[in-house]
Amino acid sequence: GDMMYFSHRIAAGLGGQMLLLLLLPFIYYYCKSYAFVLVLLLTALLAMVTALLDSSLLAMVAQYFPAHIQESFQIGIGLSSLVSSLYRDGTKMVMGTTATTIVPSTNVYFGLAACTLAVCLLALGKLLSLNITQRAIQQQQQESKEETSPLLLESTANNDCTINRTQVYYQIWR
């Protein structure tokens, strides 16, 4: 099978989250008549982008062979939830929760979250440049040249890979 490249999907997920979080505050000020519908739409899009990001991150972490890397990743997820909660609680504590301060407080929270995602994009770039990442990519490329996944069959007609659905269903059912 081909080497799975996750960096584009992860960058798209982080960038998509950042963009959507930056768009949310503008809806309140510029689209008041459609704000409710637009917030729901952006929330649904944010959930889809988050699903793309989470699945890509988990798949990328699975490429690293030491088991403690997966454990560290899970701890990182927990810490990111804690930081997000601290951002929100901090903005409410500093700015208040009255009817006149809740919207500005929320906007500051979204801004902080977007800045954090920008830092995550920079960290992704650094991660991809690390030696351990380069070795994992080279090892995966070497393995992909040596073996073909049992879920894929080579097509002799046009030399592309097609999915063996029976094998996929069997693997899922097990």
Side-chain angles (χ1 to χ4, degrees):
D2 292 327
M3 168 63 186
M4 298 298 286
Y5 292 98
F6 302 104
S7 58
H8 296 314
R9 285 182 267 177
I10 293 169
L14 290 170
Q17 281 185 333
M18 188 171 61
L19 176 69
L20 292 171
L21 286 175
L22 289 172
L23 284 176
L24 276 169
F26 290 105
I27 289 173
Y28 180 78
Y29 295 110
Y30 299 110
C31 303
K32 288 193 181 220
S33 58
Y34 299 106
F36 181 73
V37 173
L38 290 174
V39 166
L40 288 178
L41 177 65
L42 284 180
T43 303
L45 289 172
L46 193 56
M48 287 185 247
V49 169
T50 301
L52 168 73
L53 178 62
D54 289 350
S55 63
S56 298
L57 284 169
L58 285 169
M60 184 186 80
V61 168
Q63 301 296 312
Y64 294 89
F65 59 91
H68 66 86
I69 291 179
Q70 186 98 16
E71 294 166 8
S72 298
F73 177 73
Q74 293 297 328
I75 290 169
I77 290 174
L79 288 175
S80 71
S81 297
L82 174 65
V83 168
S84 179
S85 297
L86 291 174
Y87 281 172
R88 187 63 188 135
D89 291 344
T91 56
K92 284 183 174 181
M93 186 174 68
V94 170
M95 299 181 79
T97 57
T98 65
T100 58
T101 61
I102 196 71
V103 171
S105 169
T106 302
N107 290 342
V108 170
Y109 166 71
F110 287 143
L112 286 170
C115 289
T116 303
L117 289 166
V119 170
C120 290
L121 278 168
L122 293 173
L124 174 65
K126 178 66 177 168
L127 173 69
L128 293 174
S129 70
L130 292 175
N131 288 335
I132 189 172
T133 303
Q134 295 304 315
R135 282 194 305 265
I137 290 171
Q138 289 172 357
Q139 180 181 359
Q140 185 66 25
Q141 287 173 340
Q142 185 63 31
E143 289 173 3
S144 70
K145 290 178 184 176
E146 295 172 359
E147 63 184 49
T148 301
S149 170
L151 300 179
L152 298 175
L153 293 176
E154 291 291 330
S155 171
T156 57
N158 54 8
N159 203 19
D160 67 340
C161 293
T162 57
I163 296 175
N164 181 342
R165 289 194 174 127
T166 306
Q167 286 290 337
V168 172
Y169 294 139
Y170 176 74
Q171 292 293 328
I172 293 170
W173 188 255
R174 284 186 355 165

